[in-house]
Amino acid sequence: MNSRRIMAAFPPAANEQVTLANWRQHPFSEWAFRNVRELLPTANIARAPEPAPLSFAPGYLEDISFANPRGETVSVAEALRTSHTDGIVVSHRGRIVSEWYAHGLTPETPHLIFSVSKSVAGTLGGILADLGKLDPDAPVVSYIPEMEGSVYGGGCTVRHLLDMSVGIRFDEDYMARDGDVMNYRRSTGWEPPDPSVPATNLRDYLKTLRPNGTPHGHTFHYVSTNTDVLGWVYERACGISYAKILSQYLWQPMGAEHDAYIAVDSHGAARVAGGICATLRDLTRFGEMMRNHGVSNGRQVVPNWWIDDIRRNGNAEAWSRGDLTKVFPNGNYRSKWYTIERGETPFAAVGIHGQWIYIDPANEMVIARVSSQPLPLDLDLDHMWLRGYRAIAAGLSGES
């Protein structure tokens, strides 16, 4: 199917209509990931009254080369065209050196960032902790008493949520057509209703989740619901909605130029784990703030100690027992951020279908990239782009 015809007519033909049944499937996703507001209820995340200025120093990066999944040498330009990338911004020493858009995306268009949303939530936790509104070591039930009896009772702490070390019985299989992920998606409104399954909502669904027998803190186990519970903790700690917390404490202080938004369920519960839509330039501002130890436009937005903790800590033993060693064999995870390789400086926020913020402090580089890759997890493409990010960093360092 020609993706340019999808949602192009008014009304669209049946085979060109994006619906809840097909919106995460390629090629419908090319349109859907930049038009989530036309598919799902959302809450606004207000921009800053005065955006942090961007500076530009355009460079030519398209000829930088690296290996594709078949071992062939490809250029940045070829990789962008063949990997379902919707847009990319490369920043070096705080200046945008390259910017590229495709498939209808523009600098002003928010794009769904899936689990990059988790890293936003993890960063927000440091701000709230520094303000004394959040205790990372407190039990979850001290904020949400009604979680007693679920996996999030019985000694589960906010830190376990932050580090994905909850001993939860949950199989995060994005390709499954029934089971945990489908039940979860239905609770958020991301799937069409199933008449044979009782209707529910996100918060009620979270209360049904149970332990797997593993002690909390023992094993890295990637489960999105942990981050939705974390957002609920923030709401109880602050007394306002997650979207307002994010705008008040992070999005506006860092100087976001555009409103972002987040998907919500039928009861207004935010899809904290994967529902944020934001522009690439604001994602670049966010990445630059993290690279600069929490400072954006001269303002300390995120406490320096929280970012140091993200980069230096994390439980390597828990990671080695976990379910993402095939992605980053020698990686780590702390407060919703990935360390790519222990002992090296790059760290990243990563979402399914090819969403990335890659931060390389040693080479003073940030790359924000959004995509509509057909597979939720495509290790060949992810590892190709890791080689690409390193090649771009080497090229920028050589130019300087």
Side-chain angles (χ1 to χ4, degrees):
M1 179 186 295
N2 185 345
S3 62
R4 294 182 181 179
R5 296 184 59 85
I6 291 173
M7 300 295 286
F10 298 93
N15 66 339
E16 297 165 0
Q17 176 77 49
V18 179
T19 70
L20 280 182
N22 66 18
W23 72 283
R24 295 186 313 278
Q25 300 169 15
H26 197 267
F28 302 100
S29 56
E30 285 185 5
W31 183 91
F33 291 174
R34 57 183 169 83
N35 289 283
V36 171
R37 249 186 180 153
E38 297 191 36
L39 297 163
L40 300 170
T42 62
N44 199 57
I45 301 166
R47 64 188 182 274
E50 296 290 336
L54 295 174
S55 60
F56 296 81
Y60 190 77
L61 308 181
E62 286 82 352
D63 286 344
I64 291 173
S65 62
F66 47 95
N68 71 7
R70 295 182 297 278
E72 302 161 346
T73 298
V74 294
S75 67
V76 168
E78 291 171 313
L80 289 171
R81 289 195 303 270
T82 58
S83 64
H84 306 282
T85 297
D86 297 325
I88 190 170
V89 174
V90 180
S91 178
H92 186 231
R93 295 180 175 172
R95 297 181 296 176
I96 291 177
V97 296
S98 184
E99 192 173 25
W100 182 91
Y101 297 90
H103 309 143
L105 195 68
T106 73
E108 294 77 32
T109 307
H111 190 287
L112 181 60
I113 60 174
F114 285 102
S115 289
V116 172
S117 305
K118 293 181 173 70
S119 301
V120 174
T123 303
L124 184 57
I127 298 171
L128 299 181
D130 198 59
L131 292 171
K133 294 181 176 292
L134 179 75
D135 179 1
D137 297 318
V140 170
V141 293
S142 67
Y143 295 96
I144 316 174
E146 54 267 51
M147 281 299 195
E148 196 66 68
S150 77
V151 65
Y152 299 109
C156 181
T157 68
V158 175
R159 173 50 64 192
H160 295 138
L161 302 177
L162 284 161
D163 291 352
M164 289 289 190
S165 59
V166 178
I168 184 173
R169 187 173 70 238
F170 193 100
D171 181 13
E172 188 130 342
D173 179 358
Y174 300 114
M175 302 300 287
R177 298 310 302 164
D178 56 21
D180 294 331
V181 169
M182 282 297 290
N183 293 334
Y184 172 45
R185 285 175 177 158
R186 289 193 186 102
S187 78
T188 66
W190 283 37
E191 287 284 337
D194 182 344
S196 67
V197 177
T200 187
N201 60 78
L202 177 57
R203 294 191 185 106
D204 283 349
Y205 175 71
L206 295 174
K207 289 184 280 188
T208 70
L209 299 174
R210 296 294 179 259
N212 65 358
T214 303
H216 299 311
H218 180 268
T219 301
F220 173 83
H221 181 27
Y222 188 93
V223 173
S224 287
T225 60
N226 298 337
T227 312
D228 296 309
V229 174
L230 183 68
W232 192 359
V233 167
Y234 294 174
E235 290 177 328
R236 285 288 173 83
C238 297
I240 54 177
S241 73
Y242 182 76
K244 290 181 179 178
I245 296 167
L246 181 51
S247 176
Q248 180 176 330
Y249 292 104
L250 177 56
W251 210 242
Q252 291 190 21
M254 83 170 189
E257 181 179 5
H258 301 102
D259 287 356
Y261 60 89
I262 188 166
V264 297
D265 77 348
S266 60
H267 286 47
R271 180 74 163 82
V272 178
I276 291 176
C277 300
T279 66
L280 265 175
R281 287 183 178 178
D282 282 334
L283 294 175
T284 303
R285 286 180 171 91
F286 177 61
E288 278 291 333
M289 177 191 66
M290 296 299 290
R291 183 182 73 84
N292 286 298
H293 304 283
V295 175
S296 181
N297 199 28
R299 177 178 181 177
Q300 190 79 48
V301 179
V302 184
N304 185 56
W305 63 267
W306 189 259
I307 295 177
D308 285 345
D309 182 71
I310 287 170
R311 294 183 56 193
R312 296 173 183 172
N313 292 320
N315 188 330
E317 291 185 0
W319 177 267
S320 69
R321 300 184 192 106
D323 42 23
L324 288 184
T325 53
K326 61 187 176 182
V327 182
F328 305 129
N330 197 36
N332 220 335
Y333 194 82
R334 184 70 165 176
S335 297
K336 309 292 181 187
W337 285 88
Y338 295 93
T339 295
I340 306 297
E341 184 80 20
R342 291 192 292 273
E344 298 182 3
T345 66
F347 62 110
V350 185
I352 59 172
H353 295 286
Q355 326 311 319
W356 281 81
I357 301 177
Y358 180 88
I359 302 168
D360 184 347
N363 288 297
E364 303 174 280
M365 183 190 77
V366 170
I367 296 177
R369 178 174 155 263
V370 294
S371 309
S372 49
Q373 291 172 192
L375 293 176
L377 295 177
D378 191 325
L379 290 185
D380 286 341
L381 284 182
D382 285 339
H383 288 157
M384 179 191 79
W385 274 109
L386 274 174
R387 294 189 291 272
Y389 302 151
R390 290 167 179 150
I392 292 169
L396 290 171
S397 298
E399 291 171 6
S400 60

